Each structure stands twice: as structure tokens, then as C-alpha cells.
Amino acid sequence: MEELHQAALAYYNNGSQNLQLLAANFFRSMDRNGDGRVSKSEFITFLRQNGYGWINPSFFNNLDRNRDGGLDFEEVLTFYYIIKTRNLWCDGCGVCLKGLYFTCVECFDRAANTYDLCSRCYSSRRFRHNHTCFLDNHMLLRSKRTQLRQAVKDFLLDTILLMKTIIDAGNHSSTTNFLPSSYTC
């Protein structure tokens, strides 16, 4: 949770005035009595009235970093960051995915909704899913980056080959100078 808190602060501190205003308004919408803190009952009311009923109210305890029974602005900022950017919950046990988690690669590639699991559910195989290939979120990102790089290389090579074919077909041998000498086909 600490990493999410730090990320939320970083985005807030480096965000536009508009983003900071949205975060402040979000806090005020939760702090119904205006005392500068969000109580557990205010948190639960907010969840129910704003379509977040699927979030377990005990998540409040995860957000309450100093364990004082209320959420200050920075603690609510962490919640704001989670629901606006992460919104990831284990499809096995329902916990908020705060750090490393596993994603079904096929669902990630084909569907709008991913199938995500916490390390505990994935390790103990406490889930039912019709696909078998899972990667942790860091490896998934790296594998997709590698695929993208290869796709760009393939596109560039295809473009160069096409240009060479067009030039050769038109007998414009004098125009082949624009191809770098390192591109040999």
C-alpha cells in the first residue's frame, strides 16, 4: 500500500491544477461533516451512494495509514488514485491488488476485461479460469514492450523492402542513394 500512497502523492504533486482540484473535490465529497477527516461511516456511505458498493468497506483499514480511525487528505488521495487508475481486484479472493499480481495473458490480449489474481491465489491455484497462461504485471509489460519493438522493426524492414522493390521495378537505380548502406536486402 505504501507504493500506491507514494504514487498517488507523486501524481498529485506533479499534476495540473485541474487534477489537484478534482482530488480536493473528491475529498470534500467524502468528508460530509466538513471536519477535515473521513470517518469509516462517511467512507461506507460514499461507497454505497457512488456506485462503489463492490469495494469491501474493510478497505478503509488499509487506507488508514496511521490507524487513527479516520482518513486525512493524503489517505483519501491514495483511495482516489486506486479507483481512478488501478481499480484492480483479485478475481480469486477479491482483495485489492496493491503490488505484484498475475494476469491472464489471453484475456489481456483479447478482452476488455482482464482476469487478475493476487500472488496468494495464483500460487495456491485458488481460482477457476479457462486459460492457463499467466504473467505477473511486470513481466507482462516487458513482454508487450518486446512485442512492440519487434513489430516496429518488422514494419520498418517491410517498408524498406517495398521501397527497394518499387525502385528496382521502375529502374530508378539513381534514386537508391537514399537507402542507408546498412540496409542490405
Side-chain angles (χ1 to χ4, degrees):
M1 186 62 89
E2 186 59 29
E3 283 182 332
L4 294 178
H5 175 71
Q6 292 302 322
L9 283 176
Y11 277 113
Y12 179 79
N13 290 336
N14 292 292
S16 66
Q17 281 186 317
N18 187 46
L19 176 69
Q20 292 175 353
L21 181 62
L22 287 170
N25 288 339
F26 182 81
F27 177 79
R28 281 192 288 278
S29 73
M30 291 182 76
D31 181 20
R32 299 188 72 116
N33 66 5
D35 67 353
R37 307 196 49 72
V38 175
S39 68
K40 191 165 189 173
S41 66
E42 287 174 316
F43 181 77
I44 293 168
T45 299
F46 176 84
L47 293 179
R48 290 186 182 139
Q49 290 181 349
N50 292 281
Y52 298 109
W54 49 270
I55 297 175
N56 189 325
S58 67
F59 191 60
F60 177 92
N61 299 328
N62 294 335
L63 295 167
D64 187 11
R65 296 172 70 223
N66 58 6
R67 306 284 181 241
D68 66 352
L71 303 179
D72 60 27
F73 178 74
E74 287 186 3
E75 292 165 332
V76 169
L77 188 61
T78 302
F79 179 61
Y80 182 71
Y81 170 73
I82 290 169
I83 63 171
K84 294 298 182 184
T85 64
R86 306 241 336 151
N87 202 12
L88 291 172
W89 306 86
C90 177
D91 288 307
C93 66
V95 301
C96 178
L97 298 173
K98 302 175 219 167
L100 185 77
Y101 59 92
F102 291 84
T103 296
C104 171
V105 175
E106 193 167 333
C107 290
F108 183 86
D109 286 342
R110 294 184 181 185
N113 295 324
T114 58
Y115 189 86
D116 306 301
L117 297 167
C118 67
S119 296
R120 187 172 290 158
C121 285
Y122 182 69
S123 176
S124 65
R125 298 179 187 225
R126 287 191 318 203
F127 63 95
R128 290 182 186 251
H129 190 60
N130 54 345
H131 303 133
T132 58
C133 183
F134 285 78
L135 288 175
D136 70 69
N137 52 328
H138 299 291
M139 287 304 298
L140 183 64
L141 180 61
R142 291 181 83 80
S143 72
K144 296 304 170 187
R145 183 178 70 179
T146 301
Q147 288 175 2
L148 180 60
R149 281 185 186 160
Q150 188 59 50
V152 169
K153 285 180 187 177
D154 291 346
F155 173 77
L156 291 174
L157 182 58
D158 288 347
T159 303
I160 291 168
L161 289 173
L162 178 62
M163 290 169 54
K164 184 171 180 355
T165 302
I166 291 169
I167 291 168
D168 289 346
N171 271 336
H172 294 91
S173 58
S174 63
T175 61
T176 58
N177 302 4
F178 71 90
L179 289 176
S181 60
S182 61
Y183 291 110
T184 57
C185 300

Coordinates of all heavy atoms in Angstrom, one line a residue, residues 110-157:
R110 N -7.1 -10.2 -25.6 CA -8.4 -10.3 -26.4 C -9.6 -9.6 -25.8 O -10.5 -9.4 -26.5 CB -8.7 -11.8 -26.5 CG -7.7 -12.6 -27.3 CD -8.2 -14.0 -27.5 NE -7.2 -14.7 -28.3 CZ -7.4 -15.9 -28.7 NH1 -8.5 -16.6 -28.4 NH2 -6.4 -16.5 -29.4
A111 N -9.6 -9.3 -24.6 CA -10.8 -8.8 -24.0 C -10.6 -7.4 -23.3 O -9.5 -7.0 -23.0 CB -11.3 -9.8 -22.9
A112 N -11.8 -6.8 -23.2 CA -11.8 -5.5 -22.5 C -11.5 -5.7 -21.0 O -10.9 -4.9 -20.3 CB -13.1 -4.8 -22.7
N113 N -11.9 -6.8 -20.4 CA -11.7 -7.1 -19.0 C -10.6 -8.1 -18.9 O -10.6 -9.2 -19.6 CB -13.0 -7.7 -18.4 CG -14.1 -6.6 -18.4 OD1 -13.9 -5.5 -18.2 ND2 -15.3 -7.1 -18.6
T114 N -9.7 -7.9 -18.0 CA -8.6 -8.8 -17.7 C -9.0 -9.7 -16.6 O -10.0 -9.5 -15.9 CB -7.3 -8.1 -17.3 OG1 -7.6 -7.3 -16.2 CG2 -6.9 -7.2 -18.5
Y115 N -8.3 -10.8 -16.4 CA -8.5 -11.7 -15.3 C -7.2 -11.7 -14.5 O -6.2 -12.1 -14.9 CB -8.8 -13.2 -15.8 CG -9.2 -14.1 -14.7 CD1 -10.6 -14.2 -14.3 CD2 -8.3 -14.9 -14.0 CE1 -11.0 -15.1 -13.3 CE2 -8.7 -15.7 -13.0 CZ -10.0 -15.8 -12.7 OH -10.4 -16.7 -11.7
D116 N -7.3 -11.1 -13.3 CA -6.2 -10.8 -12.4 C -6.2 -11.5 -11.1 O -7.3 -11.6 -10.5 CB -6.1 -9.3 -12.2 CG -6.1 -8.5 -13.5 OD1 -5.2 -8.7 -14.3 OD2 -7.0 -7.6 -13.6
L117 N -5.1 -12.0 -10.6 CA -5.0 -12.7 -9.4 C -3.9 -12.2 -8.5 O -2.8 -11.8 -9.0 CB -4.7 -14.2 -9.7 CG -5.8 -14.9 -10.5 CD1 -5.2 -16.3 -11.0 CD2 -7.0 -15.2 -9.6
C118 N -4.2 -12.2 -7.2 CA -3.1 -11.9 -6.2 C -2.1 -13.1 -6.2 O -2.4 -14.2 -6.7 CB -3.7 -11.6 -4.8 SG -4.4 -13.1 -4.0
S119 N -0.9 -12.8 -5.7 CA 0.1 -13.9 -5.7 C -0.4 -15.1 -4.9 O -0.1 -16.2 -5.3 CB 1.4 -13.3 -5.1 OG 1.9 -12.3 -5.9
R120 N -1.1 -14.8 -3.8 CA -1.6 -16.0 -3.0 C -2.5 -16.9 -3.7 O -2.4 -18.1 -3.7 CB -2.2 -15.4 -1.7 CG -2.6 -16.5 -0.7 CD -3.1 -15.9 0.6 NE -1.9 -15.3 1.2 CZ -2.0 -14.4 2.2 NH1 -3.1 -13.9 2.6 NH2 -0.9 -13.8 2.7
C121 N -3.5 -16.3 -4.4 CA -4.5 -17.1 -5.2 C -3.8 -17.8 -6.3 O -4.0 -19.0 -6.6 CB -5.6 -16.3 -5.7 SG -6.8 -15.8 -4.4
Y122 N -2.9 -17.1 -7.0 CA -2.2 -17.8 -8.2 C -1.3 -18.9 -7.7 O -1.3 -20.0 -8.3 CB -1.4 -16.7 -9.0 CG -0.7 -17.3 -10.2 CD1 -1.5 -17.8 -11.2 CD2 0.7 -17.4 -10.2 CE1 -0.9 -18.3 -12.4 CE2 1.3 -18.0 -11.3 CZ 0.5 -18.4 -12.4 OH 1.1 -19.0 -13.5
S123 N -0.5 -18.6 -6.6 CA 0.4 -19.6 -6.1 C -0.3 -20.9 -5.6 O 0.1 -22.0 -5.9 CB 1.2 -19.0 -5.0 OG 2.0 -20.0 -4.4
S124 N -1.4 -20.7 -4.9 CA -2.2 -21.9 -4.4 C -3.2 -22.4 -5.3 O -4.0 -23.3 -5.0 CB -2.8 -21.5 -3.0 OG -3.8 -20.5 -3.3
R125 N -3.3 -21.8 -6.5 CA -4.3 -22.3 -7.5 C -5.7 -22.2 -7.0 O -6.6 -23.0 -7.4 CB -4.0 -23.6 -8.1 CG -2.6 -23.7 -8.7 CD -2.3 -25.1 -9.2 NE -1.0 -25.2 -9.6 CZ -0.6 -25.8 -10.8 NH1 -1.5 -26.4 -11.5 NH2 0.7 -25.8 -11.1
R126 N -6.0 -21.1 -6.3 CA -7.4 -20.9 -5.8 C -8.2 -20.0 -6.7 O -8.6 -18.9 -6.4 CB -7.3 -20.2 -4.4 CG -6.9 -21.1 -3.3 CD -7.1 -20.4 -2.0 NE -6.7 -19.0 -2.0 CZ -6.4 -18.3 -1.0 NH1 -6.4 -18.8 0.2 NH2 -6.1 -17.0 -1.1
F127 N -8.4 -20.6 -7.9 CA -9.2 -19.9 -8.9 C -9.6 -20.8 -10.0 O -9.1 -21.9 -10.1 CB -8.4 -18.7 -9.6 CG -7.2 -19.2 -10.3 CD1 -7.2 -19.4 -11.7 CD2 -5.9 -19.4 -9.7 CE1 -6.1 -19.8 -12.4 CE2 -4.8 -19.8 -10.4 CZ -4.9 -20.0 -11.8
R128 N -10.7 -20.5 -10.7 CA -11.2 -21.3 -11.8 C -11.2 -20.3 -13.0 O -11.9 -19.3 -13.0 CB -12.6 -21.8 -11.5 CG -12.6 -22.9 -10.5 CD -14.0 -23.4 -10.3 NE -14.0 -24.3 -9.2 CZ -14.1 -25.7 -9.3 NH1 -14.3 -26.2 -10.5 NH2 -14.1 -26.4 -8.3
H129 N -10.4 -20.7 -14.0 CA -10.4 -19.9 -15.2 C -10.1 -20.8 -16.4 O -9.4 -21.8 -16.2 CB -9.3 -18.8 -15.1 CG -9.3 -17.8 -16.1 ND1 -10.4 -17.0 -16.4 CD2 -8.3 -17.5 -17.0 CE1 -10.1 -16.2 -17.4 NE2 -8.9 -16.4 -17.8
N130 N -10.6 -20.5 -17.6 CA -10.4 -21.4 -18.7 C -9.1 -21.2 -19.5 O -8.9 -21.9 -20.4 CB -11.6 -21.3 -19.6 CG -11.9 -19.8 -20.0 OD1 -11.4 -18.9 -19.5 ND2 -12.7 -19.7 -21.1
H131 N -8.3 -20.2 -19.1 CA -7.0 -20.1 -19.7 C -5.9 -20.4 -18.7 O -6.1 -20.4 -17.5 CB -6.8 -18.6 -20.2 CG -7.9 -18.2 -21.2 ND1 -8.5 -17.0 -21.0 CD2 -8.4 -18.8 -22.2 CE1 -9.4 -16.9 -22.0 NE2 -9.4 -18.0 -22.7
T132 N -4.7 -20.8 -19.2 CA -3.6 -21.2 -18.4 C -2.4 -20.4 -18.3 O -1.5 -20.6 -17.5 CB -3.2 -22.7 -18.8 OG1 -2.8 -22.7 -20.1 CG2 -4.4 -23.6 -18.6
C133 N -2.2 -19.5 -19.2 CA -1.0 -18.7 -19.3 C -1.2 -17.4 -18.5 O -1.9 -16.5 -18.9 CB -0.6 -18.4 -20.8 SG 0.9 -17.5 -20.9
F134 N -0.4 -17.2 -17.4 CA -0.5 -16.0 -16.6 C 0.9 -15.5 -16.5 O 1.9 -16.2 -16.5 CB -1.0 -16.4 -15.2 CG -2.4 -16.6 -15.1 CD1 -3.0 -17.8 -15.5 CD2 -3.3 -15.6 -14.6 CE1 -4.4 -18.0 -15.4 CE2 -4.6 -15.8 -14.5 CZ -5.2 -17.0 -14.9
L135 N 1.0 -14.2 -16.5 CA 2.3 -13.5 -16.2 C 2.1 -12.4 -15.1 O 1.0 -11.9 -15.0 CB 2.8 -12.8 -17.5 CG 3.4 -13.6 -18.6 CD1 3.7 -12.7 -19.8 CD2 4.6 -14.4 -18.2
D136 N 3.1 -12.2 -14.4 CA 3.0 -11.1 -13.4 C 3.0 -9.8 -14.1 O 3.4 -9.7 -15.3 CB 4.1 -11.2 -12.3 CG 5.4 -10.9 -12.8 OD1 5.7 -9.7 -13.1 OD2 6.3 -11.8 -12.8
N137 N 2.5 -8.8 -13.5 CA 2.3 -7.5 -14.2 C 3.6 -6.9 -14.7 O 3.5 -6.3 -15.8 CB 1.5 -6.5 -13.3 CG 2.1 -6.3 -11.9 OD1 2.7 -7.2 -11.3 ND2 2.0 -5.1 -11.4
H138 N 4.7 -7.1 -14.1 CA 6.0 -6.6 -14.6 C 6.4 -7.3 -15.9 O 6.8 -6.8 -16.8 CB 7.0 -6.6 -13.5 CG 6.7 -5.8 -12.3 ND1 6.6 -4.4 -12.4 CD2 6.4 -6.2 -11.1 CE1 6.3 -4.0 -11.2 NE2 6.1 -5.0 -10.4
M139 N 6.3 -8.7 -15.8 CA 6.7 -9.5 -17.0 C 5.8 -9.2 -18.1 O 6.2 -9.2 -19.3 CB 6.7 -10.9 -16.6 CG 7.9 -11.3 -15.7 SD 9.5 -10.9 -16.4 CE 9.5 -11.8 -17.9
L140 N 4.5 -9.0 -17.9 CA 3.5 -8.8 -18.9 C 3.9 -7.5 -19.7 O 3.9 -7.5 -20.9 CB 2.1 -8.7 -18.4 CG 1.0 -8.5 -19.4 CD1 0.9 -9.7 -20.3 CD2 -0.3 -8.3 -18.6
L141 N 4.2 -6.5 -18.9 CA 4.6 -5.2 -19.5 C 5.9 -5.4 -20.4 O 6.0 -4.9 -21.5 CB 4.8 -4.1 -18.4 CG 5.3 -2.8 -18.9 CD1 4.2 -2.1 -19.8 CD2 5.5 -1.9 -17.7
R142 N 6.9 -6.1 -19.8 CA 8.1 -6.3 -20.5 C 7.9 -7.1 -21.8 O 8.4 -6.8 -22.9 CB 9.1 -7.0 -19.7 CG 9.6 -6.1 -18.5 CD 10.7 -6.8 -17.7 NE 12.0 -6.8 -18.3 CZ 12.8 -5.7 -18.2 NH1 12.4 -4.6 -17.6 NH2 14.0 -5.8 -18.8
S143 N 7.0 -8.1 -21.7 CA 6.8 -9.0 -22.9 C 6.1 -8.2 -24.0 O 6.3 -8.3 -25.2 CB 6.0 -10.2 -22.6 OG 4.7 -9.9 -22.3
K144 N 5.1 -7.3 -23.6 CA 4.4 -6.5 -24.6 C 5.4 -5.4 -25.2 O 5.3 -5.1 -26.4 CB 3.2 -5.8 -23.9 CG 2.2 -6.8 -23.5 CD 1.7 -7.7 -24.6 CE 0.8 -8.8 -24.1 NZ 0.5 -9.7 -25.2
R145 N 6.3 -4.9 -24.4 CA 7.3 -4.0 -24.9 C 8.1 -4.6 -26.0 O 8.4 -4.1 -27.0 CB 8.1 -3.4 -23.8 CG 9.1 -2.3 -24.3 CD 9.9 -1.8 -23.2 NE 10.8 -2.8 -22.7 CZ 11.7 -2.6 -21.7 NH1 11.7 -1.5 -21.1 NH2 12.5 -3.6 -21.4
T146 N 8.6 -5.9 -25.7 CA 9.4 -6.6 -26.7 C 8.6 -6.9 -27.9 O 9.1 -6.8 -29.0 CB 9.8 -8.0 -26.0 OG1 10.6 -7.6 -24.8 CG2 10.7 -8.8 -27.0
Q147 N 7.3 -7.3 -27.8 CA 6.5 -7.5 -29.0 C 6.3 -6.2 -29.8 O 6.4 -6.3 -31.0 CB 5.1 -8.0 -28.6 CG 5.1 -9.4 -28.1 CD 3.7 -9.8 -27.6 OE1 2.8 -9.1 -27.6 NE2 3.6 -11.1 -27.0
L148 N 6.2 -5.1 -29.1 CA 6.0 -3.8 -29.8 C 7.3 -3.5 -30.6 O 7.3 -3.1 -31.8 CB 5.6 -2.7 -28.9 CG 5.5 -1.3 -29.5 CD1 4.3 -1.3 -30.5 CD2 5.1 -0.3 -28.4
R149 N 8.4 -3.6 -29.9 CA 9.7 -3.4 -30.6 C 9.9 -4.2 -31.9 O 10.3 -3.7 -32.9 CB 10.9 -3.6 -29.7 CG 11.1 -2.5 -28.7 CD 12.4 -2.9 -27.9 NE 12.5 -1.9 -26.8 CZ 13.3 -2.1 -25.8 NH1 13.9 -3.2 -25.6 NH2 13.4 -1.2 -24.8
Q150 N 9.5 -5.5 -31.7 CA 9.7 -6.4 -32.9 C 8.7 -6.0 -34.0 O 9.1 -6.0 -35.2 CB 9.4 -7.9 -32.5 CG 9.7 -8.8 -33.6 CD 11.1 -8.8 -34.1 OE1 12.1 -8.8 -33.3 NE2 11.3 -8.7 -35.4
A151 N 7.5 -5.6 -33.6 CA 6.5 -5.1 -34.6 C 7.0 -3.9 -35.4 O 6.9 -3.8 -36.6 CB 5.2 -4.9 -34.0
V152 N 7.6 -3.0 -34.7 CA 8.2 -1.8 -35.3 C 9.3 -2.1 -36.2 O 9.4 -1.7 -37.4 CB 8.6 -0.7 -34.2 CG1 9.4 0.4 -34.9 CG2 7.4 -0.2 -33.5
K153 N 10.2 -3.0 -35.8 CA 11.3 -3.5 -36.6 C 10.8 -4.1 -37.9 O 11.3 -3.9 -39.0 CB 12.2 -4.4 -35.9 CG 13.1 -3.8 -34.9 CD 14.0 -4.8 -34.1 CE 14.8 -4.2 -33.0 NZ 15.5 -5.3 -32.3
D154 N 9.8 -5.0 -37.8 CA 9.2 -5.7 -38.9 C 8.6 -4.7 -39.9 O 8.8 -4.8 -41.1 CB 8.2 -6.7 -38.5 CG 8.8 -7.9 -37.7 OD1 10.0 -8.1 -37.8 OD2 8.0 -8.6 -37.1
F155 N 7.9 -3.7 -39.3 CA 7.3 -2.7 -40.2 C 8.3 -1.9 -41.0 O 8.2 -1.7 -42.2 CB 6.4 -1.7 -39.3 CG 5.9 -0.6 -40.1 CD1 4.8 -0.8 -41.0 CD2 6.4 0.7 -40.0 CE1 4.3 0.3 -41.7 CE2 6.0 1.7 -40.7 CZ 4.9 1.6 -41.6
L156 N 9.4 -1.5 -40.3 CA 10.4 -0.7 -41.0 C 11.1 -1.6 -42.0 O 11.4 -1.1 -43.2 CB 11.4 -0.2 -40.0 CG 10.9 0.9 -39.0 CD1 12.0 1.2 -38.0 CD2 10.6 2.1 -39.8
L157 N 11.4 -2.8 -41.7 CA 12.0 -3.7 -42.7 C 11.1 -3.9 -43.9 O 11.6 -3.8 -45.1 CB 12.4 -5.0 -42.1 CG 13.1 -6.0 -43.0 CD1 14.4 -5.4 -43.6 CD2 13.5 -7.3 -42.3

